[in-house]
């Protein structure tokens, strides 16, 4: 007789019901060939006594496995392993192989190196990150109030059911009004697609408008997530130099004369990663080139709301009268990365087209969150928060830059950024950035080693040090920790 007692274990401390534990283990025994086709099982009474459980539990086990086709009954003879299961050849695995069963797939798939990159997580107390906002400043109480009211009031069938694939109509209307007032756009709700952040907007754009072999122009050091989206659809990346005035549009023109460019990705307001602003004359020429050579401009305006000098330059989209610009932004920087609400602005036909693609990967966004943000825009709360945040982030920028210069002196070089949430810093060539970042992390400070920003012969030992997500006191502590990490790695 098969030794059921030694092959089936029951753990009463688990939340999984006992009948499910026994059912799952019996199925495994059948799959592994330890219980063969047509083999007779113990009666429910005998098995319940062997396992020390109630007979009704085993009856429930048998009923469940019979209904799924694993077992069958023969009138008057008892319960058997089903005869019509496919032939199973028993496989005896070593203990280490058993541990690997949940790790390694049984089928082949292609791994693409460009998809593999560090995932930044908010885990360290001290952080000089890529340029993230401080969620402690966000209007969370107002957002919770708006979310709750939108959740419990109104027609629940409409609010909690399927909605428009373009996003909440209320949010699109409020956003259109807000963007017209602050960015000089001239749009309505039909020119907006709500997405889960800029990265989703990039992915949809790549799917909808780029084919294998198309050429996409990017800055010589650009945002990796954008590059990955383009590479994933088979695009060829053409790199354009960046200088103190932003993208070199003359170099771009040279590329256009010898290549058919489908799209250019640009962070015109605060170039990523260098933080410089694309000057007015270059903006005009870039739009002219787009019209002449018929390429799409994807304008990623990731932190437009935080500019510290005077009134920020209007986005390229505000001067686009030929429908060449796809304009993207999000609430990731203005509220928090956890709130995945962003937007794409384009002509109505482009928005309709992108909405079809959005539907097949993410039917719709978070309608409750979108309507809550719409309410805060309508009440002016987000606008008030941005004004407050601008003042606080400017104070943090000023302190951070002064402290960097005081503590590190000639060890670092940087320009005080006109806007944004990070400083583009060059460390002396003798400094080992990888060891410095590793040492800092061991001591509770996160910063990037900046390797992914390197450009052969031009950019080396640069990294972005974010200041916005930390208080002045935290920034002072972080700089002290960074200084000690440098000293340790240079010994």
């Amino acid at each position: 007789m098969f030794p059921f007692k030694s092959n089936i274990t029951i753990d009463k401390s688990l939340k999984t019901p006992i009948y499910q534990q026994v059912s799952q283990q019996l199925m495994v025994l059948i799959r592994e060939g330890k219980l063969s086709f047509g083999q007779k099982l113990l009666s429910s009474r005998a098995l319940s006594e062997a396992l020390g459980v109630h007979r009704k539990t085993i009856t429930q086990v048998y009923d469940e496995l019979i209904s799924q086709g694993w077992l069958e009954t023969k009138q008057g003879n008892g319960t058997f392993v089903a005869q019509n299961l496919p032939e199973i050849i028993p496989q005896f695995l070593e203990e280490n192989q058993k541990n690997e069963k949940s790790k390694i797939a049984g089928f082949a798939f292609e791994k693409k190196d460009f998809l593999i990159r560090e995932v930044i997580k908010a885990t360290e107390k001290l952080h000089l990150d890529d340029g993230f906002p401080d969620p402690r400043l966000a209007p969370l109480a107002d957002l919770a109030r708006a979310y709750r009211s939108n959740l419990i009031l109104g027609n629940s069938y409409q609010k909690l059911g399927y909605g428009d694939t373009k996003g909440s109509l209320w949010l699109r209307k409020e956003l259109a009004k807000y963007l017209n007032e602050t960015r000089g756009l001239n749009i309505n709700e039909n020119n907006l697609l709500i997405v889960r952040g800029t990265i989703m907007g990039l992915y949809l754009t790549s799917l909808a408008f780029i084919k294998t072999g198309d050429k996409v122009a990017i800055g010589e050091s650009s945002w990796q997530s954008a590059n990955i989206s383009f590479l994933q659809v088979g695009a060829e990346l053409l790199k354009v130099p960046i200088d103190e005035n932003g993208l070199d549009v003359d170099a771009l023109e040279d590329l256009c004369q010898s290549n058919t460019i489908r799209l250019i990705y640009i962070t015109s307001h605060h170039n990523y990663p260098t933080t410089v602003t694309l000057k007015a004359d270059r903006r005009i020429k870039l739009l002219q080139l787009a019209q002449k050579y018929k390429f799409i401009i994807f304008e990623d305006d990731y932190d437009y709301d935080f500019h510290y000098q005077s009134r920020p330059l209007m986005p390229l989209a505000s001067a686009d009268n030929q429908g060449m610009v796809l304009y993207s932004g999000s609430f990731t920087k203005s509220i928090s990365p956890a709130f995945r609400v962003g937007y794409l602005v384009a002509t109505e036909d482009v928005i309709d087209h992108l909405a079809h693609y959005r539907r097949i990967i993410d039917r719709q966004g978070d309608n409750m969150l979108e309507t809550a943000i719409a309410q805060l825009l309508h009440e002016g709360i987000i606008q008030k928060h941005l004004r407050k945040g601008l003042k606080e982030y400017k104070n943090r920028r000023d302190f951070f830059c002064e402290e960097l210069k005081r503590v590190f002196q000639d060890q670092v070089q940087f320009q005080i950024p006109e806007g944004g949430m990070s400083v583009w810093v060059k460390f002396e060539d003798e400094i080992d950035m990888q060891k410095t970042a590793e040492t800092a992390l061991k001591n509770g400070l996160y910063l990037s080693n900046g390797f992914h920003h390197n450009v052969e012969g031009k950019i080396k030992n640069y990294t972005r040090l974010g200041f916005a997500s930390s208080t002045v006191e935290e920034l002072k502590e972080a700089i002290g920790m960074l200084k000690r990490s440098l000293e340790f790695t240079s010994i």
Side-chain angles (χ1 to χ4, degrees), residues 178-348:
Y178 172 71
L179 295 174
N180 288 343
E181 292 174 350
T182 60
R183 271 99 162 143
L185 303 183
N186 183 24
I187 61 171
N188 59 47
E189 64 273 15
N190 297 319
N191 297 115
L192 278 159
L193 176 70
I194 305 301
V195 292
R196 294 185 184 273
T198 298
I199 188 63
M200 183 177 182
L202 275 165
Y203 184 65
L204 291 174
T205 299
S206 299
L207 284 177
F209 300 117
I210 299 174
K211 301 189 297 295
T212 300
D214 281 351
K215 293 179 171 61
V216 172
I218 60 172
E220 59 188 349
S221 183
S222 185
W223 188 35
Q224 277 189 296
S225 292
N227 299 349
I228 288 171
S229 283
F230 302 137
L231 290 171
Q232 175 61 26
V233 294
E236 178 186 346
L237 301 185
L238 303 179
K239 296 189 176 182
V240 184
I242 301 286
D243 60 24
E244 66 277 5
N245 292 315
L247 188 85
D248 185 341
V249 292
D250 291 332
L252 175 63
E253 185 174 21
D254 292 340
L255 281 176
C256 289
Q257 290 170 358
S258 56
N259 297 273
T260 300
I261 293 177
R262 176 57 172 161
L263 179 146
I264 181 169
Y265 169 76
I266 187 168
T267 47
S268 57
H269 200 229
H270 302 128
N271 178 71
Y272 187 94
T274 68
T275 76
V276 299
T277 300
L278 185 66
K279 300 308 178 186
D281 58 328
R282 296 192 180 189
R283 290 167 178 258
I284 294 171
K285 184 168 183 178
L286 179 55
L287 285 170
Q288 291 173 343
L289 290 175
Q291 293 168 18
K292 179 178 179 180
Y293 292 101
K294 302 300 179 185
F295 59 75
I296 303 165
I297 298 174
F298 190 102
E299 184 177 16
D300 178 359
D301 216 353
Y302 62 97
D303 56 6
Y304 178 89
D305 293 297
F306 301 108
H307 198 80
Y308 310 119
Q309 299 304 102
S310 54
R311 182 175 176 83
L313 292 173
M314 291 294 103
L316 292 164
S318 66
D320 174 31
N321 55 17
Q322 297 294 316
M324 306 305 296
V325 178
L326 264 170
Y327 181 72
S328 174
S330 79
F331 290 95
T332 295
K333 292 293 191 290
S334 54
I335 299 180
S336 170
F339 299 108
R340 306 306 302 163
V341 178
Y343 52 86
L344 281 177
V345 177
T347 56
E348 291 185 19

Side-chain angles (χ1 to χ4, degrees), residues 29 85 116 125 132 184 187 283 310 334 341 405 418 440 452 462:
L29 291 172
L85 293 172
I116 303 170
K125 175 188 174 184
F132 302 150
I187 61 171
R283 290 167 178 258
S310 54
S334 54
V341 178
K405 194 64 179 174
E418 295 179 358
H452 56 287
Y462 278 86

